[in-house]
Amino acid sequence: MDPESEGPQITKVTPLQQMLASCTGAILTSLMVTPLDVVKIRLQAQNNLFSKGKCFVYSNGLMDHLCVCEEGGNKAWYKKPGRFQGTLDAFLKIVRNEGIKSLWSGLPPTLVMAVPATVIYFTCYDQLSALLRSKLGENESRIPIIAGIVARLGAVTVISPLELIRTKMQSKKFSYKELHQFVSKKVSEDGWISLWRGWIPTVLRDVPFSAMYWYNYEVLKKWLCAKSGLYEPTFMINFTSGALSGSFAAVATLPFDVVKTQKQTQLWTYESHKISMPLPMSTWTIMKNIVAKNGFAGLFTGLIPRLIKIAPACAIMISTYEFGKAFFQKQNARRQQY
């Protein structure tokens, strides 16, 4: 990942400079991909349908409907709202029913979350990679995998409460007052640990994603540099490597993203409709329920908006980060000359 280590006599970048380099990409990426994240979560949340006992909640991503049913699942009454038919349909319905601002629902906590998460993640990755290279050698292929896993675990643990809040704000339109009441009630009833609900499926999604992303990114970057006859990657090499490796990892880990969304939106459903019957919160139970209800394809709900989001997000994030580090390298080199 470090271009400073790929050629001779390259000036190193300090951890503080790595932190600063990661901030610009985090802010820019958040502004660009939040609408796609909203659409992805709405598509996943509309499958959050529970039909046990005397009632169930049907969510179309715009609002929740509590419907009364007879025992055995036969409906006594309900008017099924329209469903999103795809990515474009979801965009149009969200804009028509809630306004274009709704495409940036959850942006404030996204920005609050993105900057520290990115700083922790990228800086830890670079520092761990440098440490492992000094111990294992420059060409050890396991370095990106190990560094990516450890860095992501730390970032997920720190940011998980904000991720829960952001998902709630994107899965259903509600006020900050309702959000504050929801969080306060959960903390008073279940303790602060309740804010880490969804941590396990988030880890199951993000840690494999990180391992696959960094390994493929480093391999692609070296391959493209070799093909181009370069010691250091250019902006476009970083951009292309980030987009391709991010796309592959996004497809492979999408089922865990669907489960994470289901687990976190279930929590709001539980509270807002005061459903007393326990909902299946196990990751594997939710996966089985999704497959039983929607088929194997249900685990890949939101694939298109996730790919549209992840590919440019990874490309923008890594290329701006590397560009920022290259800028600081030049500054440091100039200082050393005087």
Side-chain angles (χ1 to χ4, degrees):
M1 151 107 195
D2 289 328
E4 68 263 23
S5 66
E6 295 185 6
Q9 298 179 345
I10 299 297
T11 306
K12 291 186 177 181
V13 179
T14 67
L16 178 59
Q17 290 172 333
Q18 291 169 349
M19 293 179 186
L20 293 173
S22 64
C23 287
T24 302
I27 295 171
L28 180 61
T29 302
S30 297
L31 290 171
M32 293 182 64
V33 305
T34 292
L36 294 167
D37 206 26
V38 170
V39 171
K40 174 184 69 71
I41 287 176
R42 297 296 179 90
L43 287 168
Q44 293 173 351
Q46 77 174 352
N47 292 324
N48 196 10
L49 179 62
F50 309 101
S51 57
K52 293 183 179 180
K54 296 184 178 180
C55 67
F56 66 84
V57 175
Y58 177 85
S59 173
N60 69 352
L62 298 177
M63 61 189 73
D64 293 326
H65 298 264
L66 186 63
C67 306
V68 179
C69 296
E70 300 171 356
E71 289 292 331
N74 297 319
K75 63 183 180 181
W77 64 268
Y78 78 93
K79 183 177 181 180
K80 184 176 179 179
R83 290 171 60 87
F84 297 137
Q85 301 302 318
T87 303
L88 181 59
D89 184 55
F91 264 116
L92 295 175
K93 286 182 177 177
I94 291 171
V95 172
R96 184 172 64 246
N97 289 280
E98 301 180 39
I100 195 168
K101 290 182 179 179
S102 294
L103 291 175
W104 281 269
S105 299
L107 180 60
T110 297
L111 289 173
V112 171
M113 178 178 64
V115 172
T118 304
V119 167
I120 294 169
Y121 183 37
F122 279 75
T123 304
C124 285
Y125 176 83
D126 262 351
Q127 293 299 308
L128 285 169
S129 294
L131 177 63
L132 290 171
R133 281 197 299 269
S134 67
K135 302 291 184 182
L136 303 176
E138 291 289 333
N139 297 319
E140 175 55 59
S141 61
R142 294 171 296 176
I143 289 175
I145 298 174
I146 297 171
I149 287 174
V150 175
R152 198 59 186 171
L153 272 173
V156 166
T157 302
V158 172
I159 302 302
S160 189
L162 286 173
E163 170 79 0
L164 173 64
I165 293 172
R166 180 182 68 94
T167 303
K168 291 295 171 295
M169 295 182 70
Q170 293 179 336
S171 65
K172 180 177 181 294
K173 186 178 182 180
F174 59 93
S175 67
Y176 283 97
K177 182 179 179 181
E178 289 178 300
L179 176 64
H180 180 266
Q181 292 173 344
F182 166 70
V183 173
S184 298
K185 186 175 181 181
K186 288 308 299 176
V187 171
S188 64
E189 290 180 352
D190 301 328
W192 288 100
I193 194 67
S194 63
L195 297 181
W196 276 264
R197 189 182 298 268
W199 181 84
I200 291 177
T202 301
V203 166
L204 289 174
R205 177 198 65 178
D206 285 2
V207 169
F209 180 98
S210 184
M212 286 185 282
Y213 170 77
W214 286 113
Y215 177 79
N216 289 317
Y217 171 73
E218 298 289 1
V219 169
L220 283 169
K221 186 173 70 171
K222 289 179 181 178
W223 183 78
L224 290 172
C225 284
K227 285 288 185 179
S228 304
L230 300 171
Y231 283 109
E232 297 180 61
T234 63
F235 182 89
M236 283 308 301
I237 287 177
N238 290 326
F239 190 94
T240 303
S241 301
L244 292 176
S245 57
S247 298
F248 174 77
V251 174
T253 59
L254 180 58
F256 294 108
D257 184 58
V258 174
V259 171
K260 178 194 71 71
T261 300
Q262 293 263 339
K263 286 174 73 72
Q264 293 182 333
T265 55
Q266 279 177 12
L267 183 59
W268 173 258
T269 299
Y270 221 172
E271 294 299 320
S272 61
H273 296 286
K274 303 186 184 302
I275 298 175
S276 59
M277 182 172 293
L279 299 177
M281 299 302 293
S282 164
T283 298
W284 303 113
T285 300
I286 291 177
M287 277 189 168
K288 288 191 291 184
N289 288 346
I290 291 172
V291 172
K293 184 169 58 182
N294 300 311
F296 187 75
L299 293 175
F300 292 88
T301 303
L303 174 61
I304 293 176
R306 179 163 166 82
L307 279 176
I308 295 174
K309 165 196 167 185
I310 292 294
C314 289
I316 294 168
M317 187 64 245
I318 194 64
S319 56
T320 54
Y321 177 63
E322 297 282 16
F323 180 84
K325 288 200 304 178
F327 170 80
F328 285 119
Q329 285 174 358
K330 293 177 182 178
Q331 297 297 315
N332 293 343
R334 288 173 185 169
R335 292 193 191 100
Q336 289 178 2
Q337 291 175 357
Y338 298 102

